């Protein structure tokens, strides 16, 4: 069952007076099934973040179609748009800048419920905030603390709790683990895995780390220069890449195994 | 003495409003001529501070212990001596190439500078700088010699930084996360260039990184740091194949691998890295460790066995080893 359909998405940015605009997304199309995790990978400037932002309506697309659960995203306005926003939530790379430093995390997590008028009353909001924090592995004692007293990994959990507060159908994550340390990254990846199992979340997962994407995603789309050059289920893409660019990307990823690395380079160290 | 760099009992304290904080607590480290050593750890482990302490780049910190380069003591050395060492004997590459380069000085001038300071004639310095830039894969090096850093891409800038670091043919290159800001294909190119240049010139490299994949492909020996202390060190195959410290093992297990089909949960290390100010007593890792004994909570474990190539600072691992040898 298709949840999200993106057709021929195009986005360009102006570059200044009398110079032509630069087209960053050049006709991207893909679909995302319910409960599926799709990885969108590519190097800097490949257009992966811009694609995600256009899908989420954080940026206006030039043309194309985005359909979420049968509803047109790009043409929506007013009440329709607000309801769509409820169904699509984002998690960003930097958990330091995505949380309001002056708002206790309990409030930050329940704020979307207040904004959309889904829960009213302090006690009810607080109860729901606690449920959400527990879902991401935090406790009651954390409710009244401010973001500054949390580590990067904990802040990312809080940002995730806020994103799932509205029980969105689609979670769009833009490099959600790239600023985290290895041991914390594993905890957050497990959290995404668990949330999918428990809530049936559908996730569009943007990342540059191809190993992370292989681990988490069911399908992977490789972007280059604003286009998807290859899209396939994870094992097919990683074991039998067909596009030359995908092959060159995969070949460049270091493997944490000295023997395999030496075998790949065909040289010994020293 | 065969070591090029010998660090003994290095301690670094920073003054903070709430009192002094020990960021590096008794680090021992050696690098032999031509050897590649990786210093691995997560944020806050003290790996970058170690590099800065070696080079005397921490004017506000209290640094004690000993850092010897070919027998010459660098801790407490005069600024004149440190200036001679930096650039001439030890080259340095930092993570962010843009902040390592002077934005208002041409690329060529910056690459030539270490040679000009040494008294090499300008024409000769220019020739060598262009050769090296070309060698590092900067296309049209002669034509781009008078360009400014902003005219170069991130990957090209990092090549320029490497050129500056190695042009005076230092004996040791300290590279602190040299490819972390780069895309994966550029990273692979830069690493293989570093690899070739180091081999050609028999230059030793101290590589500081959090990326275990890079370590596997580049280093001969690995030093693992946790909360300002060394927890394990050994030859690269030993560390990746037979790690003995629970932290090293946990770290290796937590890395998703591109060559493995596995869905589901990753093994994790519970909790989080302590800040230096909140370093637990005894073994700093004990609150996150799954197999602890009483000593873990009270005594800081030593790196044992002292003379061995593969050493571990873990009460449980070393006790286990003793029992095995007794039997």
């Amino acid at each position: 069952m298709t949840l999200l359909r993106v057709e021929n998405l195009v986005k360009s940015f102006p570059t200044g007076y009398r110079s032509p605009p630069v087209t960053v997304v050049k006709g991207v199309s893909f679909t995302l099934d319910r409960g599926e995790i799709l990885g969108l990978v590519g190097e800097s400037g490949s257009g992966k973040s811009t694609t995600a932002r256009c899908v989420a309506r954080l940026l206006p697309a030039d043309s194309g179609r985005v359909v979420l659960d049968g509803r047109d995203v790009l043409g929506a306005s007013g009440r329709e748009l607000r309801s769509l926003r409820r169904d699509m939530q984002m998690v960003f790379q930097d958990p330091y800048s995505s949380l309001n430093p002056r708002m206790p995390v309990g409030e930050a997590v329940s704020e979307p419920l207040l904004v959309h008028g889904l829960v009213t009353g302090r006690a009810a909001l607080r109860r729901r905030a606690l449920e959400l924090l527990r879902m991401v592995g935090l406790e009651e004692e954390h409710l009244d603390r401010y973001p500054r007293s949390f580590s990067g990994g904990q802040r990312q959990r809080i940002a995730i709790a806020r994103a799932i507060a509205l029980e969105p159908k689609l979670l769009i994550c833009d490099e959600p683990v790239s600023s985290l340390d290895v041991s914390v990254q594993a905890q957050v990846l497990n959290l995404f895995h668990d949330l999918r199992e428990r809530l049936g979340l559908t996730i569009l997962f943007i990342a540059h780390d191809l190993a992370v994407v292989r681990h988490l995603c069911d399908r992977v789309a490789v972007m280059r220069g604003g286009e998807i050059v290859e899209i396939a289920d994870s094992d097919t893409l990683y074991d039998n890449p067909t596009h030359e660019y995908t092959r060159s990307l995969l070949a460049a990823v270091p493997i944490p195994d000295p023997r395999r690395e030496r075998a790949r380079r065909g040289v010994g160290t020293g | 003495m065969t070591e090029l760099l010998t660090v003994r009992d290095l301690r670094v304290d920073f003054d903070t409003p709430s009192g002094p904080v020990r960021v590096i607590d008794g680090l021992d480290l050696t690098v032999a001529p031509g050897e590649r050593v990786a210093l691995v750890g997560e944020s806050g482990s003290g790996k970058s501070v170690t590099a800065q302490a070696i080079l005397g780049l921490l004017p506000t910190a209290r640094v004690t212990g000993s850092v010897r380069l070919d027998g010459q003591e660098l801790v407490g050395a005069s600024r004149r001596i440190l200036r001679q060492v930096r650039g001439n004997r030890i080259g340095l590459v930092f993570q962010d190439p843009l902040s390592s380069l002077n934005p208002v000085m041409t690329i060529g001038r910056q690459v030539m500078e270490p040679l000009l300071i040494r008294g090499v004639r300008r024409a000769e310095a220019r020739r060598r700088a262009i050769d090296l830039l070309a060698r590092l894969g900067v296309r049209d090096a002669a034509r781009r010699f008078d360009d400014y850093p902003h005219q170069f891409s991130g990957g090209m800038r990092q090549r320029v930084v490497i050129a500056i670091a190695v042009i005076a043919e230092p004996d040791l290159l300290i590279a602190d996360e040299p490819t972390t800001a780069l895309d994966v294909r550029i990273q692979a190119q830069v690493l293989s260039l570093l690899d070739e240049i180091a081999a050609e010139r028999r230059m030793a490299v101290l590589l500081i990184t959090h990326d275990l994949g890079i370590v596997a492909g580049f280093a001969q020996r690995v030093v693992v740091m946790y909360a300002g202390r060394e927890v394990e060190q050994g030859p690269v195959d030993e560390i990746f194949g037979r790690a003995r410290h629970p932290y090293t093992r946990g770290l290796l297990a937590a890395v998703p691998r591109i060559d493995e089909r596995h869905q589901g949960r990753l093994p994790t290390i519970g909790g989080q890295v302590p800040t230096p100010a909140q370093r637990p007593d005894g073994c700093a890792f004990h609150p996150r460790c799954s197999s602890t004994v009483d000593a873990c909570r009270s005594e800081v474990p030593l790196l044992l066995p002292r003379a061995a190539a593969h050493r571990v600072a873990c009460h449980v691992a070393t006790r286990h080893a003793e029992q095995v040898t007794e039997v």
Side-chain angles (χ1 to χ4, degrees):
Chain A
M1 261 276 278
T2 304
L3 176 72
L4 177 75
R5 179 185 304 282
V6 175
E7 286 168 10
N8 259 314
L9 193 71
V10 176
K11 173 69 185 170
S12 58
F13 290 101
T15 52
Y17 182 64
R18 281 190 178 171
S19 47
V22 54
T23 307
V24 172
V25 179
K26 302 172 183 164
V28 163
S29 304
F30 61 89
T31 61
L32 192 48
D33 280 347
R34 251 172 242 282
E36 187 181 41
I37 305 184
L38 173 69
L40 200 53
V41 303
E43 296 179 292
S44 1
S46 60
K48 54 191 194 301
S49 287
T50 305
T51 300
R53 279 160 203 256
C54 289
V55 169
R57 275 281 303 258
L58 295 181
L59 283 174
D62 297 355
S63 62
R65 253 165 77 79
V66 176
V67 181
L68 179 76
D69 211 12
R71 292 173 296 165
D72 176 36
V73 174
L74 299 185
S77 62
R79 182 183 301 241
E80 179 65 20
L81 179 60
R82 205 155 56 231
S83 137
L84 276 167
R85 291 217 190 280
R86 211 176 116 180
D87 286 339
M88 295 190 288
Q89 289 289 312
M90 279 200 78
V91 175
F92 297 96
Q93 173 172 356
D94 180 10
Y96 290 81
S97 60
S98 54
L99 292 171
N100 181 344
R102 317 267 291 214
M103 190 183 272
V105 303
E107 275 179 44
V109 162
S110 55
E111 190 186 30
L113 297 163
L114 193 66
V115 169
H116 286 268
L118 298 178
V119 178
T120 45
R122 279 180 63 96
L125 278 169
R126 211 175 148 79
R127 218 166 28 243
R128 181 69 181 137
L130 179 57
E131 272 175 36
L132 287 162
L133 285 181
R134 286 203 169 127
M135 225 182 279
V136 298
L138 293 169
E139 290 304 323
E140 186 163 9
E141 62 183 84
H142 297 123
L143 267 177
D144 299 313
R145 293 204 203 150
Y146 289 87
R148 63 168 176 271
S149 55
F150 294 93
S151 66
Q154 287 173 318
R155 286 183 211 210
Q156 200 58 299
R157 287 165 186 276
I158 295 163
I160 293 167
R162 181 178 155 104
I164 61 175
L166 296 168
E167 299 174 11
K169 297 194 169 82
L170 174 66
L171 198 59
I172 301 176
C173 306
D174 191 357
E175 301 275 7
V177 297
S178 4
S179 64
L180 305 178
D181 273 318
V182 173
S183 67
V184 180
Q185 168 182 285
Q187 294 168 6
V188 174
L189 287 175
N190 285 347
L191 176 61
F192 282 121
H193 178 261
D194 295 348
L195 288 176
R196 190 255 292 263
E197 302 282 294
R198 281 164 60 190
L199 308 175
L201 265 182
T202 308
I203 304 177
L204 179 59
F205 190 90
I206 293 110
H208 70 280
D209 186 326
L210 290 129
V212 162
V213 167
R214 170 159 210 181
H215 177 79
L216 186 70
C217 301
D218 306 308
R219 272 195 315 141
V220 181
V222 180
M223 280 192 77
R224 180 198 200 179
E227 292 169 9
I228 291 179
V229 298
E230 184 164 4
I231 181 164
D233 67 79
S234 286
D235 288 336
T236 308
L237 187 115
Y238 282 85
D239 294 338
N240 298 302
T242 56
H243 198 283
E244 187 50 45
Y245 179 71
T246 311
R247 278 201 286 269
S248 75
L249 268 187
L250 294 177
V253 179
I255 298 172
D257 180 339
R259 279 157 227 246
R260 291 206 55 163
E261 278 291 303
R262 282 195 294 265
R264 273 208 323 184
R265 294 149 151 239
V267 286
T269 30
Chain B
M1 205 175 74
T2 59
E3 303 296 351
L4 173 67
L5 179 77
T6 309
V7 177
R8 286 282 168 255
D9 203 25
L10 183 73
R11 283 164 211 269
V12 177
D13 297 87
F14 282 96
D15 281 322
T16 70
S18 42
V21 171
R22 178 150 294 173
V23 174
I24 304 293
D25 189 26
L27 184 80
D28 288 344
L29 180 73
T30 59
V31 182
E35 190 183 28
R36 284 102 181 267
V37 179
L39 202 54
V40 187
E42 298 183 282
S43 343
S45 61
K47 51 193 196 302
S48 292
V49 173
T50 300
Q52 289 163 19
I54 290 171
L55 287 157
L57 292 175
L58 296 169
T60 60
R62 209 163 26 261
V63 179
T64 60
S66 164
V67 174
R68 286 173 182 273
L69 184 73
D70 261 345
Q72 183 178 29
E73 181 60 55
L74 301 184
V75 172
S78 69
R79 286 172 58 182
R80 193 178 56 85
I81 288 180
L82 285 172
R83 253 203 316 271
Q84 279 169 4
V85 167
R86 299 194 283 250
N88 267 328
R89 309 235 28 219
I90 305 181
L92 188 58
V93 175
F94 283 123
Q95 174 175 344
D96 176 9
L98 202 51
S99 59
S100 315
L101 293 170
N102 184 336
V104 296
M105 202 190 265
T106 63
I107 293 293
R109 166 81 211 188
Q110 294 185 64
V111 178
M112 287 193 299
E113 197 173 29
L115 294 178
L116 297 177
I117 289 169
R118 270 180 147 194
V120 175
R121 285 200 353 269
R122 203 178 172 85
E124 166 74 6
R126 184 182 168 90
R127 191 185 58 74
R128 279 166 63 181
I130 290 174
D131 279 356
L132 181 59
L133 285 170
R135 173 77 190 71
L136 285 166
V138 176
R139 257 176 254 149
D140 283 337
R143 199 175 52 78
R144 305 209 60 184
F145 203 68
D146 296 318
D147 282 359
Y148 289 87
H150 73 268
Q151 293 166 289
F152 278 59
S153 67
M156 283 297 157
R157 283 178 201 145
Q158 197 61 310
R159 288 166 209 245
V160 171
V161 173
I162 291 170
I164 297 170
V166 304
I167 194 157
E169 310 205 344
D171 303 311
L172 173 66
L173 180 73
I174 297 182
D176 188 355
E177 303 275 8
T179 59
T180 306
L182 306 178
D183 275 323
V184 63
R185 293 185 311 157
I186 311 294
Q187 163 173 287
Q189 289 167 13
V190 167
L191 284 172
S192 83
L193 281 169
L194 265 182
D195 190 79
E196 285 171 32
I197 293 263
E200 265 171 38
R201 308 187 168 192
R202 288 208 24 90
M203 180 176 68
V205 182
L206 180 61
L207 175 73
I208 295 167
T209 181
H210 69 282
D211 187 326
L212 293 160
I214 293 176
V215 174
F218 192 83
Q220 295 158 323
R221 210 148 54 76
V222 183
V223 175
V224 184
M225 291 187 72
Y226 184 78
R229 295 192 191 126
E230 199 173 332
V231 293
E232 184 163 11
Q233 73 157 274
V236 67
D237 288 338
E238 284 274 320
I239 296 293
F240 281 83
R242 284 177 293 278
R244 293 175 58 207
H245 199 285
Y247 174 65
T248 315
R249 288 208 297 263
L251 211 52
L252 285 165
V255 189
R257 288 178 55 151
I258 199 164
D259 57 338
E260 271 174 13
R261 290 184 176 212
H262 67 163
Q263 296 281 313
R265 297 177 61 90
L266 283 164
T268 58
I269 308 174
Q272 47 190 310
V273 183
T275 64
Q278 302 160 328
R279 187 184 298 119
D281 288 337
C283 169
F285 186 64
H286 86 256
R288 304 177 72 189
C289 188
S290 54
S291 55
T292 50
V293 294
D294 286 345
C296 301
R297 283 175 278 278
S298 52
E299 291 165 42
V300 178
L302 300 172
L303 262 191
L304 296 169
R306 290 194 75 119
H310 186 177
R311 285 177 281 172
V312 62
C314 172
H315 293 300
V316 176
T318 44
R319 263 177 215 191
H320 183 67
E322 274 166 27
Q323 281 161 6
V324 170
T325 33
E326 277 163 25
V327 174

